[in-house]
Every structure is written in structure tokens, then in C-alpha cells.
Amino acid sequence: MKPKNKENKRQRVKLTAAEKSELFAEGVVTVIIMLLLNLSVIILYHLAILQDKSLVNGIYFLKKTMTIGPGGFHLWSWERIGVFLMGIADVVVLYWRLIRRYHQMQLRHIISELHYIANGHFDHRISFSVNTDMQKVIDSINSLVDSTVEAINEEKAIEQSKDELITNVSHDIRTPLTSIIGYLGLLKNGAVTSREDMMKYINIAYDKAEQMKSLANDLFEYTTLKSTKTKLTLSPVNILSMMEQVAAGFELEAEKKGISFAIKARPEDLIVNADVEKLVRVYNNLISNALKYAAGADTINLVANLVNEKWVELRVENNGEPIPQDKLKKIFDRFYRVESSRNTKTGGTGLGLSIVQGVVELHGGTIRCESNAKLTSFIILLPRHPNPKLANSKARRVV
């Protein structure tokens, strides 16, 4: 079995003993053929030319007249010229036949390597170094294998992602559904007689049903954002006005928790082309996330800064307990929760931040989270004028 070739070091094709013998035999056969051909030429020369006395005398005259040096060295000699030219021709033909056969052997090795890869050894690469256009073929094959492996891994990741999605959705639906069935079963069987207990169980079942509805809505929006058919409806948005309107919808909930909003836009008339409905969903999710999970917070900052003519920075910050650093990298993963108990306490679906990331990326922007003892900040870098064609043509797989 061939060793794995992960380092992909270039090396020349090494011929086997049988191939070297084959190459040697090719050279011997070529030399014999050329000697026979030379002998035939010499015989024809003597038969066709030397039998004609007038030609012989003319050749002899050229030999005598074309001399050089005091010793009368003959510069011109048909025999010498002929032998010299035949020798050159022999060497050229010998080299051509040997190099052709060597290239055939190289191709044989390349095909063998290709079959080895095709048999499932996708971590192997053709590492031969050749001095012909065949090198382009080798590089193209390696690039094709790399692309194929990448596509296979991506497909596996997608399948795994789908399986995880189904598992998580099933789990998050089953938990409230089990409670609903349990409480309704008690009511159906007449196990609860007092009106007070009945209303209590009905309210619990209703809350669980609302939780399932929220999960279904978030899941629908999440998968919609991942679809290639999702399009942006862009329009000019005054960021300051939008942040004020969004914050107004959370005032009562914030007051109950002793949290106030601080809203700033620099400049105050900052305008961004965006899908208003989707951008509002981003702020709703981030503010709701802060109200639910920012323990000890008393302020939520909504800040918009003009970076340059092309980009704007949006920040949603709170001064609550920081998010552990080892959790920040996974915070945008779907269904990921910093604390598993939070789902039970707050009814969160675990899709809010994934939806936020999807909306931001659909606009052509980026989002990151920074958290320390002073502030937990969700920082969005958004283009002021997204290209709808580029945004809408992004290849997004339905997960």
C-alpha cells in the first residue's frame, strides 16, 4: 500500500527495474535500426554516385581545391560530412525515442497514482515533478482532488448540521409538548377539581404552547435567511429614529428590571440603506437577549457610528455580567446557550443570535461580540449601501 502523501513534496518519477530494462532495450533497438539505416545509406551512396566516373572526378577536384593550412588539410570531404550528419541524426533519433518512451512511463505512473486516489485515498496527492506540460495536468488533478475533498467535507458538514438541527428542534419541541400533554391530560381525566388549579394548569399549558410557537417562528426565520430565495428590500433608514422606536417597545420590560436605554448616533442624521424589517429584528433580538441574560445590568447602550462613506458601526451594549471568553466563539451557533438553564427560565429558543448573524451577513456585513467586566458589546459593521444583487445572489444552503 502506498504511503500517505500529505506534505506533497515534489520528486522526479522513479523508474522500476523493469522500466529501466525496457528503456535500455529501446535504446539498443534504436541503435541497431540506425546502424542498419546508415549502412543502407552508404551502400546506396556507393551504388548511385561512385559508379559514375564524372561525379567521382568532380568530388576529387573539390577535395583538392578546398584545403586549409600549409599542410593542405582537406576541409571538404563528402565522406566526413556524410558521417557527421548521420551521427547527428542517429543521436537525435535515439534521444527522441528514449525521451518519448520515458514520457510514456511517466504518464503510466501518473495514471497509476490517479487510480490510487480514485480508490478512496483522497488524502494522497500526485507529487511528481516533470519538465513537460504534463506538470500542468498533475497540478490540475491535485487541484481537482482538493476541490472534490472540500466539497465532500462540506456536504458531510451540511448533513451533520441538518441532523443536529433536527435533533435540537425535536428536543426543544418535545419538552414543552410533554408538559402540555401532561397538564391537559390531568384536566381531561378529571384529576383536577378546583377552578384555581385548572386555571393554573391551563396557563402553564398556554405558556408552553407560546414557547413552541416562538421556536417555530424563529426556526422559520432562520431557515428563510439561509435560503437562496431570500431577498432584501432596501430603503433609506434613519438609524437614530429606528433605535429610538425599537427601544420604546422595550421600555416597560426594561423599567421592571431597572434598566435604562442610552441612545446615540454620530452623526444624528446618519442614514443607511437597509431592509428595515430585518434590521429591526436584529435590534429586537439583541435587546431582548440583553434583558433576559445580562444579570446585574442597569444600562443598555444603542450606538451608531459613521466609520466612513461606505461603512457604519452599530453597537448594542450592556453593563451586566460578562460572557465567559471560552463561550464567545460559539455564541452565534444555533441552539447554543451560555447556560443551559436559561432556556427553562427565559423560554429562549437559542436561535436569536443566529438569526441576527444571518440578517447582518445578508446585508454584506459582519458581527462580533466582545465582553469584559465593564461591557458586553455586540458590534455590527454594516455597509451603508449594500449591493442587493450581490446580497441576494449569495449561495446559501437551506439547513
Side-chain angles (χ1 to χ4, degrees), residues 5 7 73 136 197 216 241 266 354 369 374:
N5 183 21
E7 295 182 358
F73 175 76
K136 296 180 181 178
D197 289 340
S241 297
R266 307 181 185 92
S354 296
C369 180
K374 294 182 178 179

Short mmCIF file of all heavy atoms in Angstrom, two decimals, residues 5 7 73 136 197 216 241 266 354 369 374:
data_model
loop_
_atom_site.label_atom_id
_atom_site.label_comp_id
_atom_site.label_asym_id
_atom_site.label_seq_id
_atom_site.Cartn_x
_atom_site.Cartn_y
_atom_site.Cartn_z
N ASN A 5 0.56 10.88 1.31
CA ASN A 5 1.42 11.96 0.87
C ASN A 5 0.81 13.29 1.24
O ASN A 5 0.26 13.99 0.41
CB ASN A 5 1.62 11.86 -0.65
CG ASN A 5 2.58 12.91 -1.18
OD1 ASN A 5 3.37 13.44 -0.43
ND2 ASN A 5 2.49 13.22 -2.45
N GLU A 7 2.43 15.88 2.79
CA GLU A 7 3.33 17.01 2.63
C GLU A 7 3.45 17.42 1.17
O GLU A 7 3.81 18.53 0.84
CB GLU A 7 4.71 16.65 3.19
CG GLU A 7 4.69 16.41 4.70
CD GLU A 7 6.08 16.10 5.22
OE1 GLU A 7 7.01 16.06 4.40
OE2 GLU A 7 6.22 15.92 6.43
N PHE A 73 45.35 20.60 -45.50
CA PHE A 73 44.29 19.81 -44.89
C PHE A 73 43.01 19.97 -45.69
O PHE A 73 42.61 21.07 -46.03
CB PHE A 73 44.07 20.26 -43.44
CG PHE A 73 42.93 19.56 -42.77
CD1 PHE A 73 43.08 18.25 -42.32
CD2 PHE A 73 41.71 20.22 -42.59
CE1 PHE A 73 42.02 17.60 -41.68
CE2 PHE A 73 40.66 19.57 -41.97
CZ PHE A 73 40.82 18.26 -41.52
N LYS A 136 1.29 20.57 -15.73
CA LYS A 136 0.02 21.29 -15.61
C LYS A 136 -1.12 20.32 -15.35
O LYS A 136 -2.05 20.61 -14.60
CB LYS A 136 -0.24 22.10 -16.88
CG LYS A 136 0.78 23.20 -17.13
CD LYS A 136 0.46 23.96 -18.40
CE LYS A 136 1.48 25.06 -18.66
NZ LYS A 136 1.20 25.79 -19.92
N ASP A 197 -56.75 25.42 40.42
CA ASP A 197 -55.75 24.52 39.84
C ASP A 197 -55.95 24.38 38.33
O ASP A 197 -54.98 24.28 37.56
CB ASP A 197 -55.83 23.14 40.50
CG ASP A 197 -55.30 23.16 41.93
OD1 ASP A 197 -54.55 24.10 42.25
OD2 ASP A 197 -55.64 22.24 42.71
N ALA A 216 -41.04 27.81 16.64
CA ALA A 216 -41.42 27.60 15.24
C ALA A 216 -41.17 28.86 14.41
O ALA A 216 -40.66 28.79 13.29
CB ALA A 216 -42.89 27.19 15.15
N SER A 241 -33.65 57.37 14.62
CA SER A 241 -35.10 57.23 14.79
C SER A 241 -35.49 55.77 14.98
O SER A 241 -36.35 55.45 15.82
CB SER A 241 -35.83 57.81 13.58
OG SER A 241 -35.58 59.19 13.46
N ARG A 266 -23.84 59.05 15.68
CA ARG A 266 -22.85 60.04 15.25
C ARG A 266 -22.58 59.85 13.76
O ARG A 266 -21.96 58.86 13.38
CB ARG A 266 -21.55 59.86 16.04
CG ARG A 266 -21.72 59.83 17.55
CD ARG A 266 -20.35 59.67 18.22
NE ARG A 266 -20.45 59.52 19.65
CZ ARG A 266 -20.56 58.34 20.29
NH1 ARG A 266 -20.57 57.22 19.61
NH2 ARG A 266 -20.64 58.29 21.61
N SER A 354 -28.26 33.58 16.05
CA SER A 354 -28.03 33.01 14.72
C SER A 354 -28.83 33.79 13.67
O SER A 354 -28.35 34.03 12.56
CB SER A 354 -28.43 31.54 14.69
OG SER A 354 -27.61 30.77 15.55
N CYS A 369 -18.78 39.70 18.98
CA CYS A 369 -19.14 40.00 20.36
C CYS A 369 -17.87 40.15 21.19
O CYS A 369 -16.96 39.32 21.10
CB CYS A 369 -20.02 38.91 20.95
SG CYS A 369 -20.52 39.20 22.66
N LYS A 374 -16.59 45.47 32.15
CA LYS A 374 -17.33 46.72 32.03
C LYS A 374 -18.53 46.60 31.10
O LYS A 374 -19.63 47.04 31.43
CB LYS A 374 -16.39 47.82 31.52
CG LYS A 374 -15.29 48.19 32.50
CD LYS A 374 -14.44 49.33 31.94
CE LYS A 374 -13.36 49.74 32.94
NZ LYS A 374 -12.51 50.84 32.40
#
